[in-house]
Amino acid sequence: MTNSGGVAAKAGAFWDRAWRSLLAASSAPVWIAAITAMAVILTFIALGGLRPAENSPTLTPTGAEARTSLYAVTVLSAELTDAIDKQFLEAEPGDDLLIVTVRLENLTSQAVGVDQGADRVKSQLIRAREPLLTLYGVTATDDARAWRTDGSLRGVILQPGVPAEVQLVWPVPEDSFPDGIAYLDVFDARERTGQAILSASAVTWRRTELATRIAVEVRS
């Protein structure tokens, strides 16, 4: 029969020796190294070291074409105003209207609308939960709108391979661009079919990765 008192005494003696060994002067370098490593790990985590890496997007200057899988866009200019008389549009109190003039080209074989569906194709370039063209660093106060630079009130339809100059307009809070520069994020997309209830042949452009970021000087 095992003597439980003897076993307990041996276990106690073992842990006493282990504790004395840890507190011994010779163990100081080990403790210092462990504490230093823990501090480095905690600092790494605090600075976001465990977050997924974010790739910096390619920057495209004003006037240069940015091409994606389904469309191409060239930013020509940008300006701020408080009203656009020809479109019967006026900024709300505390807002400005950011007008970005772009050249858009539809690279697919079907006509698409910029801010609405066209022939069972929904481009989602703007006015979508995940638009393909969106402002970076600024939260618009309402949906974007689009029209041709000729002032036409009709919706903008992009025919395949036919570039069109279009004005995209976002209502934004006043003083959104203190340095006078706006950034337009351009997302790539892929075509998805069969997502509509009324037509299994309907096509929707679904946003994928950020293709480029375009910087443009904002005139007032």
Side-chain angles (χ1 to χ4, degrees):
M1 183 176 180
T2 303
N3 188 328
S4 59
V7 172
K10 290 180 180 180
F14 170 79
W15 287 113
D16 183 64
R17 289 195 301 273
W19 180 248
R20 290 177 181 276
S21 175
L22 289 174
L23 296 180
S26 60
S27 299
V30 176
W31 279 103
I32 293 173
I35 293 172
T36 301
M38 182 60 68
V40 171
I41 292 172
L42 292 177
T43 301
F44 177 76
I45 293 173
L47 294 177
L50 297 182
R51 291 199 298 264
E54 296 181 359
N55 295 325
S56 298
T58 301
L59 294 179
T60 299
T62 302
E65 184 183 66
R67 295 179 72 85
T68 72
S69 303
L70 303 179
Y71 68 101
V73 57
T74 304
V75 172
L76 304 177
S77 64
E79 61 179 304
L80 286 173
T81 186
D82 56 8
I84 304 173
D85 295 335
K86 291 183 178 180
Q87 298 294 332
F88 308 103
L89 184 62
E90 185 174 349
E92 296 291 335
D95 283 358
D96 284 326
L97 299 175
L98 175 67
I99 307 173
V100 181
T101 302
V102 299
R103 183 167 56 248
L104 290 171
E105 183 177 354
N106 172 14
L107 302 180
T108 72
S109 59
Q110 295 176 280
V112 299
V114 173
D115 59 353
Q116 61 184 359
D119 194 23
R120 299 190 305 278
V121 179
K122 189 175 182 180
S123 71
Q124 300 200 110
L125 286 166
I126 59 173
R127 299 176 67 88
R129 187 171 62 86
E130 291 188 331
L132 305 185
L133 300 173
T134 185
L135 299 177
Y136 170 74
V138 174
T139 301
T141 57
D142 203 349
D143 290 336
R145 296 179 62 179
W147 49 76
R148 292 182 181 272
T149 54
D150 61 9
S152 171
L153 295 176
R154 299 177 60 186
V156 181
I157 305 298
L158 300 177
Q159 298 297 332
V162 181
E165 285 196 8
V166 178
Q167 288 184 325
L168 307 176
V169 180
W170 286 270
V172 297
E174 291 180 346
D175 303 321
S176 290
F177 310 100
D179 58 355
I181 302 295
Y183 296 92
L184 182 70
D185 277 352
V186 179
F187 287 85
D188 208 337
R190 66 177 182 273
E191 293 182 325
R192 294 283 299 275
T193 59
Q195 301 299 308
I197 296 176
L198 298 179
S199 176
S201 62
V203 175
T204 302
W205 291 8
R206 296 291 186 182
R207 191 167 88 176
T208 56
E209 70 275 2
L210 178 60
T212 190
R213 180 169 293 155
I214 303 176
V216 57
E217 182 179 357
V218 179
R219 303 192 307 268
S220 298

